[in-house]
Amino acid sequence: METQKVKTCFTITFTDDQYQRAKYYVEDMKRHPERVFWRGKEGKTDEELIIEQIAHRILSGFYNNDAFNAGKHIMRMDSSANLT
């Protein structure tokens, strides 16, 4: 199976509640340094980890009860298939 790379940039919105939940999640993960969560996250700031967690939840559908609900969080998406 051939795979392809696509670089995509999302502009998202999030609530204060979503931010606090992600912040608590990152704080909890700090107590468990051996978890898979930390792979590839070396050297990132707490703010970067929090925003990544919010984006992950939005894009994975954790905040979406139906297919059309994601549209209220994803404001813009730019993609490029011309990667080297």
Side-chain angles (χ1 to χ4, degrees), residues 7-69:
K7 185 173 184 175
T8 305
C9 178
F10 291 90
T11 302
I12 60 173
T13 63
F14 52 90
T15 66
D16 289 337
D17 181 54
Q18 290 168 324
Y19 183 89
Q20 288 302 318
R21 284 179 155 201
K23 182 178 177 181
Y24 294 140
Y25 183 82
V26 169
E27 289 171 356
D28 183 53
M29 285 298 105
K30 286 181 175 183
R31 292 187 278 267
H32 307 282
E34 300 301 317
R35 290 207 174 151
V36 171
F37 172 84
W38 293 107
R39 289 188 187 163
K41 292 182 172 60
E42 299 85 5
K44 292 192 176 181
T45 66
D46 285 359
E47 190 69 13
E48 288 173 307
L49 294 171
I50 292 166
I51 298 301
E52 280 186 7
Q53 183 64 21
I54 292 168
H56 169 74
R57 288 180 162 272
I58 288 171
L59 298 173
S60 297
F62 285 103
Y63 292 139
N64 307 321
N65 296 330
D66 58 65
F68 299 105
N69 202 16

